């Protein structure tokens, strides 16, 4: 059976865009896979945690997080649809330092780096807290030493040929992304651990002490089986159903909350929209707010992975290769319109869901003085449902949480594996036009990613803390790069026949500037508070 390569296109193979709402609706879907990735980390865990810590006062910041990234996501995908190039191919060609891929940068070297990092982290977390600071430098030095020795061995083994600059070029962004990949593994491990905690809560003590760790490995195996046996179309249908069910339950729970002792008043909503901040601002609160900002709406990872889902959906291939004349421009605008519809529908879904989660956290957990953390994260979050529906809703919450976190794990692994496989093509380890090789690497990286997710949770066992640290650090780097990068594409690279109008362009500038400021500025504020240079409340 011939498999169509969605990453390839030509001037003869294209489809005219649909007309009318219902015809367009049949071509939507990539955004629902994205929502499946967002809900588990950004909404269920981080948004409710922020509500539990700050109350209603930061509702405006939650809404900002939902609205400020969608246009960057859409305009980046506009360029993908027009050019047919993958995200990493585009950003690997951004202005700035670039050089041929070093001969030692191979899959074996990357595997050694990951293993050495896991061993170093495992040693670090088992140290006595008093000795961690002094030993951390030794562990980092040992890790660097190991990968340098392996790099030298690879160069000697492959000979002089590997030192010649004939390989694909890698620019600064590709290096930054490769460095951030280790943190992305930890971030995703937090979600997998959340699923493990859900199952452990449903079957307490069944696997003995630390059962959530063992459950996380079993969930990883289940996720791999579902992903390796499915296709894009099957994933899309599954995520649409699961996201719709859990979002509906969350909205219903928020509405029923109004008939309990935790009813949300208009004055509380008004305080949340007053652009005010909590009376006492701590490092933990700032990092939680930044992690929520990074994980809700569309996170940095979802922004770039969305371009791959749109390619596999067929938007870029249906547009056809760029050619002169009005026909191609009209066709490209039509598929861009379909993509924008998908983005807007997705934004409505995750905004409603995010606001509901925040209100539940602020109304119930904040009022009870509870903060989701550590091994008790899921137990505390379940109170949002039992306080609204009653004790019987604990089962409802566990079932819903299991599926929503599972879809996040699966969506993240599926998207991350595509990005990793594309990186192999961009840096020249596989042929970009060989779709069979790309598929093999996607499947291999699905398994590898899920194994590392499991190990990451096994080492840390604290999903909120894992998300706080990784999301804040990566967002501080990636959001400014994404915002400024999309502006560069809009004004310097995009075909002039399909540029957005002044309204979208103006909003893109505003959002890009916000992305460039909020995360880096927030990290600096958190560090200043921790160092005692700033004090609030």
């Amino acid at each position: 059976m011939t498999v169509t390569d969605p990453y390839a296109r030509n001037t003869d193979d294209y489809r005219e865009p649909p007309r009318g709402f219902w015809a367009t609706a049949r071509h939507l879907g990539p955004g629902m896979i994205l929502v499946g990735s967002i809900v588990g980390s950004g909404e269920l865990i981080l948004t409710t945690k922020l509500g539990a810590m700050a109350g209603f006062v930061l509702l405006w910041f939650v809404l900002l997080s939902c609205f400020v990234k969608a246009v960057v996501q859409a305009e980046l995908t506009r360029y993908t649809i027009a050019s047919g190039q993958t995200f990493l191919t585009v950003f690997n060609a951004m202005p700035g330092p670039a050089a041929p891929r070093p001969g030692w940068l191979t899959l074996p070297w990357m595997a050694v780096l990951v293993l050495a990092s896991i061993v170093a982290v495992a040693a670090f977390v088992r140290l006595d807290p008093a000795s961690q600071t002094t030993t951390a430098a030794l562990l980092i030095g040992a890790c660097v030493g190991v990968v340098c020795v392996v790099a030298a061995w690879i160069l000697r083994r492959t000979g002089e040929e590997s030192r010649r600059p004939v390989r694909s070029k890698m620019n600064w962004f590709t290096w930054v992304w490769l460095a951030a990949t280790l943190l992305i593994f930890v971030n995703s491990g937090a979600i997998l651990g959340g699923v493990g905690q859900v199952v452990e809560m449903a079957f307490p003590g069944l696997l003995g002490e630390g059962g959530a760790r063992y459950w996380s490995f079993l969930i990883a195996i289940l996720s791999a089986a579902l992903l390796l046996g499915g296709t894009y179309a099957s994933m899309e249908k599954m995520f649409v159903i699961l996201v719709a069910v859990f979002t509906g339950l969350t909205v219903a729970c928020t509405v029923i909350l109004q008939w309990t002792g935790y009813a949300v008043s208009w004055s509380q909503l008004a305080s949340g929209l007053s652009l005010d901040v909590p009376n006492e601002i701590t490092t933990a609160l700032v990092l939680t707010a930044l992690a929520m900002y990074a994980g809700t709406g569309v996170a940095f990872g979802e922004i770039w992975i969305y371009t791959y889902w749109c390619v596999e959906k067929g938007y870029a291939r249906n547009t056809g290769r760029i050619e002169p004349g009005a026909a191609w421009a009209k066709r490209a605008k039509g598929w861009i319109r379909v993509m924008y519809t998908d983005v807007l529908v997705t934004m409505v879904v995750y905004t409603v869901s995010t606001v509901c989660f925040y209100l539940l956290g602020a109304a119930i957990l904040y009022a009870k003085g509870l903060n989701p953390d550590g091994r008790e994260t899921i137990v505390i979050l379940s109170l949002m449902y039992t306080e609204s529906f009653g004790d019987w809703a604990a089962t409802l919450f566990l079932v819903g949480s299991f599926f929503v976190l599972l879809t996040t794990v699966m969506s993240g692994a599926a998207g991350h594996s595509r990005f990793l496989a594309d990186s192999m093509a961009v840096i020249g380890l596989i042929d970009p036009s060989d779709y069979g090789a790309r598929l093999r690497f996607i499947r291999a990286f699905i398994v590898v990613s899920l194994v590392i997710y499991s190990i990451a949770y096994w080492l840390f066992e604290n999903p909120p803390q894992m998300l706080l640290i990784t999301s804040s650090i990566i967002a501080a780097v990636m959001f400014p790069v994404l915002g400024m990068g999309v502006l560069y594409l809009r004004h310097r690279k995009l075909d002039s026949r399909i540029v957005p109008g002044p309204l979208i362009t103006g909003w893109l500038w505003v959002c890009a500037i916000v992305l460039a400021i909020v995360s880096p500025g927030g990290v600096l504020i958190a560090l200043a508070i921790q160092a005692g240079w700033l004090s609030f409340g």
Side-chain angles (χ1 to χ4, degrees):
M1 183 178 69
T2 303
V3 179
T4 301
D5 181 2
Y7 294 85
R9 63 183 192 173
N10 55 56
T11 55
D12 299 322
D13 185 14
Y14 60 82
R15 292 179 61 184
E16 293 299 328
R19 296 178 178 274
F21 175 79
W22 295 113
T24 299
R26 287 194 289 270
H27 291 274
L28 306 183
M32 286 300 103
I33 298 181
L34 216 61
V35 172
S37 177
I38 293 166
V39 172
S41 60
E43 297 182 358
L44 179 59
I45 296 178
L46 291 175
T47 305
T48 50
K49 182 177 178 67
L50 182 62
M53 295 178 68
F56 293 93
V57 71
L58 289 179
L59 176 59
W60 65 269
F61 190 61
V62 174
L63 291 171
L64 174 71
S65 175
C66 292
F67 294 145
V68 79
K69 306 162 199 166
V71 68
V72 175
Q73 167 198 356
E75 288 306 306
L76 174 61
T77 311
R78 179 193 295 268
Y79 187 80
T80 298
I81 293 173
S83 67
Q85 297 177 320
T86 62
F87 168 83
L88 196 55
T89 301
V90 172
F91 271 67
N92 190 54
M94 284 287 179
R101 174 179 61 84
W104 48 263
L105 185 57
T106 60
L107 277 174
W109 183 86
M110 295 179 194
V112 170
L113 173 63
V114 172
L115 290 174
S117 300
I118 291 173
V119 172
V121 171
F124 177 79
V125 298
R126 280 162 175 73
L127 291 172
D128 184 88
S131 61
Q132 282 183 336
T133 302
T134 56
T135 311
L138 295 176
L139 291 173
I140 294 173
C143 185
V144 171
V146 168
V147 297
C148 287
V149 168
V150 172
W153 177 78
I154 290 174
L155 286 175
R156 173 171 291 190
R157 185 171 180 270
T158 54
E160 291 297 323
E161 183 65 26
S162 65
R163 298 184 178 88
R164 297 176 184 174
V166 295
R167 295 167 299 278
S168 302
K169 282 194 174 183
M170 297 175 59
N171 76 344
W172 57 273
F173 176 82
T174 305
W175 283 107
V176 169
W177 176 78
L178 286 174
T181 298
L182 292 174
L183 292 178
I184 294 174
F185 283 136
V186 176
N187 187 283
S188 299
I191 309 303
L192 180 60
V195 189
Q197 289 189 3
V198 169
V199 182
E200 174 63 18
M201 186 176 170
F203 305 101
L206 183 63
L207 299 183
E209 181 69 21
R213 289 174 165 178
Y214 301 105
W215 285 119
S216 67
F217 274 109
L218 295 177
I219 296 303
I221 295 173
L222 172 64
S223 300
L226 292 173
L227 289 172
L228 294 176
T231 62
Y232 169 84
S234 62
M235 283 192 296
E236 180 186 291
K237 293 176 182 177
M238 177 175 60
F239 289 159
V240 167
I241 295 171
L242 294 177
V243 168
V245 170
F246 196 72
T247 300
L249 289 175
T250 304
V251 173
C253 187
T254 308
V255 172
I256 294 176
L257 188 70
Q258 296 303 104
W259 283 270
T260 71
Y262 299 97
V264 179
S265 67
W266 287 110
S267 61
Q268 289 172 321
L269 290 177
S271 69
L273 299 175
S274 62
L275 304 184
D276 203 353
V277 295
N279 293 328
E280 183 179 1
I281 300 179
T282 63
T283 301
L285 178 61
V286 173
L287 289 179
T288 302
L290 287 177
M292 181 284 305
Y293 170 77
T296 54
V298 278
F300 47 85
E302 277 84 26
I303 289 177
W304 62 50
I305 288 173
Y306 181 72
T307 63
Y308 291 85
W309 293 130
C310 285
V311 168
E312 296 203 10
K313 181 68 173 178
Y315 294 166
R317 184 180 180 87
N318 291 344
T319 299
R321 187 175 296 172
I322 296 177
E323 55 184 338
W328 177 86
K330 182 179 179 181
R331 192 164 58 245
K333 288 179 179 178
W335 285 110
I336 290 169
R337 174 182 52 79
V338 174
M339 177 271 296
Y340 249 99
T341 305
D342 188 69
V343 167
L344 292 175
V345 170
T346 303
M347 186 180 71
V348 171
V349 172
Y350 66 62
T351 299
V352 170
S353 182
T354 301
V355 169
C356 288
F357 275 115
Y358 184 79
L359 294 178
L360 289 171
I364 299 174
L365 301 183
Y366 179 77
K368 297 177 74 69
L370 297 173
N371 185 5
D373 201 50
R375 296 183 180 182
E376 301 300 313
T377 298
I378 299 300
V379 175
I380 295 174
L381 290 177
S382 68
L383 292 175
M384 297 186 304
Y385 280 63
T386 57
E387 292 292 339
S388 296
F389 289 117
D391 291 340
W392 64 270
T395 302
L396 185 69
F397 171 79
L398 289 177
V399 173
S401 296
F402 173 81
F403 283 111
V404 78
L405 289 169
L406 180 63
T407 57
T408 301
V409 171
M410 293 175 58
S411 177
H416 195 201
S417 66
R418 281 158 172 77
F419 206 85
L420 286 167
D422 192 40
S423 71
M424 298 299 101
V426 169
I427 66 180
L429 293 179
I430 63 174
D431 182 358
S433 63
D434 187 348
Y435 187 56
R438 185 187 291 268
L439 283 177
R440 289 192 293 274
F441 270 89
I442 287 174
R443 296 186 180 111
F445 282 131
I446 284 174
V447 175
V448 170
S449 297
L450 287 166
V451 169
I452 299 177
Y453 297 170
S454 303
I455 295 173
Y457 176 70
W458 189 282
L459 293 175
F460 293 103
E461 270 196 297
N462 192 330
Q465 292 298 326
M466 294 165 71
L467 291 170
L468 292 186
I469 295 171
T470 56
S471 297
S472 300
I473 293 174
I474 304 174
V477 176
M478 291 300 179
F479 274 147
V481 172
L482 284 170
M484 297 299 105
V486 174
L487 279 179
Y488 172 80
L489 294 175
R490 158 64 182 86
H491 291 285
R492 296 296 182 90
K493 304 291 287 184
L494 188 63
D495 190 298
S496 60
R497 293 172 292 175
I498 58 168
V499 295
L503 183 62
I504 292 179
T505 300
W507 183 236
L508 175 64
W509 270 93
V510 171
C511 294
I513 292 172
V514 171
L515 289 181
I517 293 174
V518 171
S519 288
V523 170
L524 292 176
I525 290 174
L527 293 174
I529 294 174
Q530 184 68 22
W533 300 337
L534 287 177
S535 178
F536 299 92

